[in-house]
Amino acid sequence: MKKDDLGAIPRHIAIIMDGNGRWAKERGLPRTEGHRRGAESVRAMTEGCRELGVEFLTLYAFSSENWKRPKREVDALMKLLEIYLKQETKVMMKNNIKLQAIGRLHDLPESCQKALHQAIETTANNTALTLILALSYGGREEIIDGVKSIVEAVGKGHIDSAMINTEMFGKHLYTRYYPDPDLLIRTSGEMRLSNFLLWQLSYTEFYITDKLWPDFRKDELREAVQAYGKRHRRFGGV
Ligand code: IPE
Ligand code: IPE
Ligand code: MG
């Protein structure tokens, strides 16, 4: 993918991958077929971001609230995740992509956790792009887990409560190793965060498109990055 005419390239892109079900419904297909096609968009994004020189890509793959869906759909999504992880490890090795994950990962089925940790371990030394999957992830849950971790450290006398500030709080979140996202993309037109990265998106640029996730591929990514290049970020200054 060419990047000459794009302007500033975001260092970290986060995506709320939404609209798989609607994509399938429009075609009279089962929702799971939408998820299967959505997984192909994931591969396109990883390739596209690597080609553009993006350093971090965080994908919202399964939210804390998505457990409320019918068991049949949840099971299909977990199966798809496991297959994806097993298949994509080779591709990630070839493309020098490092896999990471955030969320309450211990909630995932045993076989998914195993495939996930295997893929994370195998790709640990890759350096081109860090792909972070948000799985069983909720922004509020992450903040609660951060508070618990701080309270524990204070209790043990490792830190003094007077030392708590935004920077140190960030170090108790799942995302402590990554910079905050520069660009947030949400597909399928919904104007909400749905409990995604509540803390980290404070100064992120938003890009919302009506395209459904299975239709969001490299050309659409390019358009989003181009729009980002035209933004004027002020961070509260002038
Ligand atoms: C996004 O697509 C995938 C997940 C949330 C796992 P949806 O399944 O939410 O699709 P819509 O929003 O029903 O179209
Ligand atoms: C957000 O999409 C979660 C993911 C993309 C994983 P949802 O489809 O779950 O969000 P709502 O229900 O429309 O807010
Ligand atoms: Mg949805």
Side-chain angles (χ1 to χ4, degrees), residues 17-22 31 66 69 186 188 190 192:
M17 312 185 286
D18 199 13
N20 293 352
R22 276 162 280 180
R31 290 177 60 85
N66 287 150
R69 292 189 181 196
R186 182 164 188 155
S188 81
E190 240 65 72
R192 54 177 173 257

Side-chain angles (χ1 to χ4, degrees), residues 42 142 216:
V42 170
E142 179 182 29
F216 195 90

Side-chain angles (χ1 to χ4, degrees), residues 15-19 22 185-190 207-213 216:
I15 308 182
I16 302 175
M17 312 185 286
D18 199 13
R22 276 162 280 180
I185 299 172
R186 182 164 188 155
T187 56
S188 81
E190 240 65 72
Y207 180 88
I208 292 165
T209 169
D210 285 334
K211 282 266 175 180
L212 304 175
W213 178 247
F216 195 90

Side-chain angles (χ1 to χ4, degrees), residues 4 7 27 37 43 49 51 57 61 67 70 78 86 89 133 152 160 164 171 195 200 208 221 238:
D4 336 340
R27 288 161 180 79
R37 291 297 286 265
R43 177 186 270 190
C49 283
E51 286 162 19
L57 171 64
W67 294 111
M78 293 302 150
K86 287 179 177 162
T89 305
L133 295 181
E152 200 183 301
D160 189 314
I164 302 170
K171 294 210 164 67
N195 203 13
Q200 297 85 346
I208 292 165
L221 172 67
V238 285

Side-chain angles (χ1 to χ4, degrees), residues 33-238:
E33 186 54 23
H35 296 316
R36 212 183 56 74
R37 291 297 286 265
E40 291 171 17
S41 293
V42 170
R43 177 186 270 190
M45 274 325 96
T46 337
E47 279 182 18
C49 283
R50 186 181 50 83
E51 286 162 19
L52 289 174
V54 172
E55 289 174 62
F56 301 90
L57 171 64
T58 301
L59 299 177
Y60 203 7
F62 195 87
S63 73
S64 304
E65 289 75 19
N66 287 150
W67 294 111
K68 289 190 292 205
R69 292 189 181 196
K71 185 178 182 308
R72 213 164 14 109
E73 182 169 344
V74 171
D75 288 349
L77 279 165
M78 293 302 150
K79 196 73 220 160
L80 194 63
L81 170 67
E82 193 182 327
I83 293 168
Y84 182 87
L85 289 166
K86 287 179 177 162
Q87 275 177 359
E88 274 334 88
T89 305
K90 274 194 220 82
V91 183
M92 289 190 280
M93 289 312 286
K94 185 170 144 267
N95 292 335
N96 195 17
I97 289 161
K98 175 176 173 163
L99 184 76
Q100 300 268 278
I102 55 171
R104 290 186 174 166
L105 306 177
H106 49 265
D107 291 345
L108 300 172
E110 206 74 58
S111 57
C112 273
Q113 289 188 47
K114 219 175 129 199
L116 184 63
H117 289 121
Q118 184 81 56
I120 290 173
E121 225 170 90
T122 309
T123 62
N125 294 319
N126 291 346
T127 53
L129 166 77
T130 301
L131 169 64
I132 304 149
L133 295 181
L135 294 166
S136 190
Y137 174 88
R140 288 180 171 177
E141 286 74 3
E142 179 182 29
I143 290 169
I144 294 297
D145 287 349
V147 169
K148 283 184 180 166
S149 142
I150 287 186
V151 168
E152 200 183 301
V154 171
K156 286 182 176 158
H158 296 329
I159 56 175
D160 189 314
S161 59
M163 286 156 59
I164 302 170
N165 57 27
T166 54
E167 199 196 328
M168 106 93 84
F169 190 71
K171 294 210 164 67
H172 287 262
L173 295 174
Y174 308 148
T175 50
R176 57 182 157 275
Y177 305 116
Y178 324 120
D180 288 344
D182 300 293
L183 172 64
L184 171 78
I185 299 172
R186 182 164 188 155
T187 56
S188 81
E190 240 65 72
M191 306 276 181
R192 54 177 173 257
L193 286 179
S194 303
N195 203 13
F196 191 42
L197 298 175
L198 300 179
W199 174 274
Q200 297 85 346
L201 296 174
S202 292
Y203 270 101
T204 302
E205 296 296 322
F206 287 17
Y207 180 88
I208 292 165
T209 169
D210 285 334
K211 282 266 175 180
L212 304 175
W213 178 247
D215 291 328
F216 195 90
R217 298 288 162 98
K218 284 189 189 180
D219 286 343
E220 288 73 23
L221 172 67
R222 208 187 153 72
E223 274 174 42
V225 170
Q226 205 155 27
Y228 171 82
K230 297 197 178 95
R231 301 281 176 87
H232 191 64
R233 302 183 78 182
R234 281 187 289 274
F235 299 98
V238 285

